[in-house]
Amino acid sequence: QCLYQFLAFVPPSNGSLRKPGTAAVLVDTQHPLTLLLNGSVGDRELCKIQYHFGEFGNYSLVVKTLSTSAKTVSCDLVINEGPINSYLPILFAFLVYMGILAILIVGRLFMKIDPVRNWVYKKLNPRETDRLINSELGSPNTTDSVSSDPTPRLWSTASRQRLRSLDTFRGLSLIIMVFVNYGGGKYWFFKHESWNGLTVADLVFPWFVFIMGTSISLSLSSMLRWGSSKRKVLRKILWRSFLLILLGIIVVNPNYCLGPLSWDNLRIPGVLQRLGFTYLVVAALELLFTRAGAESGTLESPCPALQDILPYWPQWIFILMLELIWLCLTFLLPVPGCPRGYLGPGGIGDFGNYPNCTGGAAGYIDRLLLGEKHIYQHPSSSVIYQTTMPYDPEGILGTINTIFMAFLGLQVPLFFLAVGYINFSNFLFQGIISAILTKCSKEEGFIPINKNLWSISYVTTMSCFAFILLLLMYYLVDVKRLWSGAPFFYPGMNSILVYTGHEVFENYFPFKWKMQDSQSHAEHLTQNLIATTLWVIISYLLYRRRIFWKI
């Protein structure tokens, strides 16, 4: 539903010289396009062609007059030079990393040979660091010794040890986030979706929020179990939230290298700011209503399908009230010049009827309360929909659903800690809600999946994905111990340092350098993968030296 955008004017041919008029244009290759050719006299439609052009392809649209009297023309699309296969660099990178993995696996097998292992240990003298270490944002503590049985009979027995799967999950989310923030090889599916829909880049932030909620539950229960008073825990929650918000404001405003921060264009929202506020609300809510036995899965429930909801019924009431507020503001708040309940991108979308309505109520609230200069100036919607209004994907209204996402993650320990019982009903219900709200489509649903808006359907869909992925990691890492969680475990143990570091040093060597061909996927992908791999190596070295940045 986008307005046609002017590409070029084709001059008339010189009849005497039989030389056709020509015009050269560049077109987008991410989506199929419709080319509309209008006559210069009367603006009459001559022909219309729909085509999905390929990257670096060269095409000609040949227009010929068939009948001067009938004013009919023919339009034929000719491929002068075929497009390149832009996915070959991804295949090559995949093979390289698989080769590295194969070498590591072979090395691990050699380490099982006693003479080889003894020689390596004698040379390196490694120190064991896998023990009681709290990672930031509330990683769980260990209270019991590691069981001698490498394959526990019940899934629940692994919960008594440190859950490496939580740090592995956090690390995976963080590494994908670093990769896409560095550019993702300039592939469209490693960038955020322009508006409705999902790409790889849209998965990672909600996963990070989800695992933060899971860690909150375990860390708070651990502190209370070790005798910390609720007042002391609350002070720690307030201090940690303050530091995250302050750090976020500094990180998202990179002009601090040029002098004092200028309030005139200081961006207030951001990733760490939203994490800090979400952590404050969810952790305080859990601290206020936590009860003995809730964290260990010992609370009895007359209905097994509701055993993950009933222990949290006061929190659920609070969360549902927040969701009601989100719904009322989103669909009932009057926005000047925009229809009520508008969820579109504005710009040239919706046939250009609402150019200044980007984000509807969400964008209006941010511009009203924070000011246009204090929110994100280059939203993803500007790429396709050519929006001119600033819009912040980490704005005020979307924070409500971020709290909801963290709260869903907070309930995960009940699944893992309940003896011999895994309750899928809650997350199955969320999947059904997503299907209903979206009508299983990208654009036609009641509330489409939208990362910019952090819509309810986006939260329910991402929580289902996160639960399935975390459950798989839990089974492989903590239950069967088929995987140590490497290499994602290491950045997961230092997530704040890695996230902050990759933002601060983004434009410095060796994370970035001048390219010979800025249009090359191969060069961009090489640079972005090297930069991401360096942060994995840095986090591993810090882990080996027991250096952890905690807030």
Side-chain angles (χ1 to χ4, degrees):
Q1 297 183 337
C2 289
L3 288 175
Y4 283 102
Q5 300 299 298
F6 177 79
L7 279 180
F9 173 78
V10 184
S13 61
N14 189 331
S16 59
L17 298 178
R18 307 290 296 175
K19 184 178 181 181
T22 61
V25 296
L26 293 175
V27 294
D28 181 71
T29 60
Q30 178 176 342
H31 304 284
L33 296 181
T34 300
L35 298 179
L36 177 65
L37 180 67
N38 289 336
S40 58
V41 179
D43 200 29
R44 184 173 62 90
E45 180 179 322
L46 300 180
C47 64
K48 181 189 293 185
I49 290 181
Q50 290 183 333
Y51 194 79
H52 195 168
F53 296 94
E55 288 194 27
F56 299 105
N58 187 288
Y59 306 84
S60 290
L61 179 61
V62 181
V63 183
K64 295 181 179 180
T65 302
L66 297 180
S67 172
T68 305
S69 58
K71 297 181 179 181
T72 58
V73 299
S74 68
C75 294
D76 299 309
L77 191 66
V78 179
I79 301 176
N80 304 322
E81 185 178 349
I84 65 170
N85 188 343
S86 59
Y87 302 111
L88 286 179
I90 295 181
L91 176 61
F92 181 76
F94 174 77
L95 294 176
V96 169
Y97 277 90
M98 287 300 100
I100 295 174
L101 178 62
I103 294 173
L104 294 175
I105 292 175
V106 172
R108 193 176 185 86
L109 293 176
F110 273 108
M111 287 293 291
K112 293 184 177 181
I113 303 175
D114 289 340
V116 176
R117 183 173 65 250
N118 294 336
W119 181 83
V120 172
Y121 281 0
K122 183 178 179 180
K123 292 293 183 181
L124 299 180
N125 190 25
R127 299 176 61 183
E128 179 63 37
T129 58
D130 186 17
R131 57 175 183 165
L132 289 172
I133 302 170
N134 276 331
S135 69
E136 60 289 339
L137 296 181
S139 234
N141 288 326
T142 305
T143 57
D144 298 330
S145 61
V146 177
S147 170
S148 60
D149 184 5
T151 55
R153 288 176 296 175
L154 293 176
W155 286 28
S156 59
T157 57
S159 62
R160 295 170 186 160
Q161 306 159 15
R162 176 179 177 81
L163 296 179
R164 291 176 64 99
S165 56
L166 299 188
D167 293 309
T168 302
F169 184 95
R170 184 190 294 115
L172 173 64
S173 304
L174 179 61
I175 289 305
I176 299 177
M177 185 184 296
V178 170
F179 175 67
V180 300
N181 285 350
Y182 277 159
K186 295 300 180 182
Y187 290 99
W188 67 266
F189 44 83
F190 288 136
K191 298 178 181 179
H192 291 293
E193 184 63 80
S194 293
W195 201 247
N196 295 333
L198 285 176
T199 64
V200 175
D202 297 321
L203 304 177
V204 290
F205 187 27
W207 285 358
F208 202 88
V209 173
F210 184 88
I211 203 64
M212 182 181 73
T214 304
S215 299
I216 286 174
S217 176
L218 295 175
S219 63
L220 290 186
S221 64
S222 176
M223 285 187 286
L224 295 176
R225 190 166 56 247
W226 280 97
S228 297
S229 65
K230 286 191 174 183
R231 180 173 298 181
K232 181 179 179 180
V233 175
L234 180 60
R235 284 199 300 267
K236 187 173 183 179
I237 292 172
L238 291 172
W239 177 245
R240 180 176 291 178
S241 302
F242 169 76
L243 289 180
L244 280 172
I245 294 172
L246 179 63
L247 186 63
I249 291 177
I250 295 174
V251 168
V252 300
N253 292 278
N255 59 338
Y256 56 81
C257 293
L258 305 178
L261 290 176
S262 172
W263 176 252
D264 293 337
N265 55 1
L266 184 75
R267 182 189 173 194
I268 298 176
V271 171
L272 290 181
Q273 296 93 306
R274 178 170 282 192
L275 285 175
F277 187 78
T278 300
Y279 176 82
L280 173 63
V281 174
V282 176
L285 195 64
E286 170 69 3
L287 181 66
L288 179 63
F289 292 106
T290 187
R291 290 189 294 164
E295 71 277 1
S296 60
T298 58
L299 291 177
E300 296 293 335
S301 172
C303 181
L306 298 177
Q307 77 168 24
D308 57 314
I309 296 179
L310 294 181
Y312 290 106
W313 69 265
Q315 293 97 311
W316 268 108
I317 292 176
F318 180 84
I319 293 297
L320 291 177
M321 289 176 61
L322 286 181
E323 288 305 311
L324 182 61
I325 293 173
W326 184 87
L327 288 170
C328 291
L329 289 175
T330 299
F331 292 100
L332 301 179
L333 180 69
V335 179
C338 307
R340 288 181 187 264
Y342 181 72
L343 300 177
I348 64 172
D350 301 301
F351 303 110
N353 293 324
Y354 317 109
N356 298 323
C357 296
T358 303
Y364 174 68
I365 290 174
D366 289 340
R367 294 189 292 270
L368 181 66
L369 298 182
L370 302 178
E372 290 189 5
K373 293 185 178 180
H374 299 297
I375 59 178
Y376 194 48
Q377 301 296 310
H378 308 286
S380 59
S381 57
S382 62
V383 178
I384 299 296
Y385 298 100
Q386 302 182 20
T387 56
T388 57
M389 297 295 290
Y391 179 83
D392 207 306
E394 279 78 51
I396 297 173
L397 195 57
T399 305
I400 292 178
N401 285 339
T402 309
I403 293 171
F404 182 32
M405 184 81 188
F407 178 70
L408 294 174
L410 182 138
Q411 298 180 73
V412 167
L414 282 184
F415 299 122
F416 293 164
L417 303 178
V419 179
Y421 179 72
I422 302 295
N423 185 3
F424 293 92
S425 59
N426 189 3
F427 290 89
L428 179 62
F429 181 64
Q430 292 173 44
I432 295 174
I433 291 178
S434 297
I436 294 174
L437 291 178
T438 62
K439 296 182 181 179
C440 297
S441 67
K442 178 181 177 181
E443 304 282 354
E444 304 300 326
F446 302 107
I447 303 179
I449 294 175
N450 189 298
K451 190 265 180 184
N452 283 285
L453 297 172
W454 269 75
S455 59
I456 294 179
S457 56
Y458 176 68
V459 170
T460 54
T461 302
M462 290 299 96
S463 65
C464 286
F465 290 172
F467 176 72
I468 294 172
L469 181 59
L470 180 57
L471 187 65
L472 178 62
M473 287 186 174
Y474 175 71
Y475 181 75
L476 294 176
V477 175
D478 289 310
V479 177
K480 292 298 184 181
R481 302 183 187 175
L482 299 175
W483 177 32
S484 66
F488 307 115
F489 172 76
Y490 306 113
M493 292 289 292
N494 246 324
S495 56
I496 291 298
L497 186 146
V498 172
Y499 179 81
T500 304
H502 102 276
E503 287 278 2
V504 172
F505 297 103
E506 176 181 4
N507 295 317
Y508 296 90
F509 184 83
F511 305 103
K512 191 173 185 179
W513 57 84
K514 186 177 180 180
M515 298 182 182
Q516 293 183 351
D517 183 4
S518 62
Q519 297 297 315
S520 168
H521 279 298
E523 284 198 51
H524 280 285
L525 187 64
T526 301
Q527 184 180 91
N528 301 152
L529 285 175
I530 289 176
T532 305
T533 303
L534 284 175
W535 283 113
V536 174
I537 295 173
I538 290 171
S539 62
Y540 172 74
L541 295 176
L542 293 174
Y543 174 81
R544 295 291 299 178
R545 287 160 177 76
R546 302 176 62 187
I547 299 175
F548 302 94
W549 186 15
K550 297 182 293 182
I551 293 181

